[in-house]
Amino acid sequence: MTALGLAPVVRAPGRTPTRLGLFGSETAKGLRLAWHRKGTVVVGIVLNTLTYLGISLFIGGGHIVEELMVLTLPALLAVTIAETAAVNGSGGIAEEINGGTLEQTRLSPAPAYLQALGRMAALAVEGLLAAGALAVVFTTWFDLDYDWSTAALLPAALTAGLTVLNAVAYGLLMVGLTLRVASIGAITHVFNMAIMFFGGMLVPVTVFPDGIETLSHLIPTALGVQALNTTMSSTGSSGLDAAWADGTLPWLLVHTSVLIVIGLATYHAAMRRALREGGLSPR
């Protein structure tokens, strides 16, 4: 990925840039980087399509079981967003370290946490675009039976939004660890495989034995996918009520909040230590 310099912040006389403006500048920079790797994004969409089709055919004994695909497709979309946030986020900051440009970004008036949030917001948009393309491909190709009414889409959108936050918070944690762990690439891929397996992309989480199902709830996006399936299986607000009653939705809120705090704390601590020890330049 090509590292671009931080867009200059033009200051009007007597004024300083607002935090919203700085956040927008960081997000815009991230989106420009995403545009430069658009070919890689397309390749990733194709690979995810083939991988998911292969898994579906294997589990279905050579046939596509549409009822199963309805339950596992949300997990594919969540995995796509999580992978985008983790792999591209980690790879991007690692390249900036190796290229010596990460130190230059500290000249920005934006604090470190705001730079991280802008970076992750751009990756969230990139992941959502890839996930949206996959959703269109599979829902139209196999004519999957989803309820597209407004009453059903609003609760599903709320649950999906929390799931996206959960996936991006996981990516932020991987970005923070990149500043400290040299072999973060291998660790990221192991975590991504765990999300794929335990997050409901192969089979729904609810078919796991009780112990494994409980363990899977610690994996990023797993609770979100389960809550999303519960929400979409009912009509209107009853879907949210069902997801809240079975404990999936409240635990998703807790899991997402904790993951965001851990991700921000890890990034902040790693950045402070790197600044103190000179770890923002090539190692």
Side-chain angles (χ1 to χ4, degrees):
M1 182 179 70
T2 304
L4 297 180
L6 181 66
V9 179
V10 180
R11 302 190 184 188
R15 295 182 60 186
T16 56
T18 64
R19 292 187 181 273
L20 182 60
L22 292 171
F23 174 78
S25 176
E26 291 295 329
T27 304
K29 181 184 75 171
L31 291 175
R32 290 199 301 274
L33 289 172
W35 177 253
H36 278 273
R37 59 171 180 263
K38 55 184 176 295
T40 305
V41 174
V42 173
V43 171
I45 293 172
V46 173
L47 289 177
N48 281 347
T49 299
L50 296 176
T51 300
Y52 183 63
L53 276 176
I55 291 172
S56 299
L57 288 170
F58 176 78
I59 293 177
H63 302 279
I64 296 295
V65 181
E66 293 186 5
E67 294 79 5
L68 179 62
M69 185 175 281
V70 166
L71 297 174
T72 56
L73 181 59
L76 169 65
L77 308 185
V79 166
T80 300
I81 297 171
E83 283 184 346
T84 300
V87 175
N88 292 343
S90 177
I93 203 166
E95 185 169 331
E96 289 192 48
I97 292 174
N98 294 329
T101 58
L102 187 59
E103 281 185 313
Q104 298 175 14
T105 65
R106 299 306 304 130
L107 299 175
S108 166
Y113 81 90
L114 202 58
Q115 289 183 335
L117 292 178
R119 182 188 297 266
M120 300 317 297
L123 289 172
V125 173
E126 181 181 345
L128 281 169
L129 290 175
L134 288 169
V136 170
V137 167
F138 283 104
T139 53
T140 56
W141 188 355
F142 295 102
D143 193 23
L144 299 181
D145 186 18
Y146 289 112
D147 186 357
W148 299 108
S149 66
T150 305
L153 285 179
L154 183 57
L158 293 174
T159 309
L162 281 174
T163 307
V164 171
L165 279 178
N166 196 265
V168 173
Y170 156 71
L172 177 59
L173 177 60
M174 292 298 104
V175 169
L177 290 176
T178 304
L179 295 169
R180 292 300 308 157
V181 183
S183 58
I184 189 62
I187 296 174
T188 300
H189 286 297
V190 169
F191 272 103
N192 288 344
M193 291 297 293
I195 293 174
M196 183 184 298
F197 182 81
F198 292 104
M201 181 175 157
L202 305 182
V203 293
V205 173
T206 51
V207 307
F208 290 150
D210 290 342
I212 297 180
E213 181 180 356
T214 301
L215 178 64
S216 72
H217 290 166
L218 300 176
I219 302 296
T221 74
L223 280 167
V225 171
Q226 190 173 345
L228 189 58
N229 283 335
T230 301
T231 302
M232 292 190 299
S233 65
S234 304
T235 304
S237 61
S238 61
L240 284 178
D241 294 338
W244 186 270
D246 66 12
T248 308
L249 190 55
W251 277 115
L252 173 60
L253 288 167
V254 172
H255 191 281
T256 302
S257 301
V258 171
L259 200 55
I260 290 173
V261 171
I262 293 175
L264 284 172
T266 301
Y267 183 86
H268 180 71
M271 181 64 74
R272 285 177 60 88
R273 185 168 180 175
L275 284 169
R276 186 171 63 251
E277 299 178 356
L280 298 184
S281 54
R283 300 171 183 174

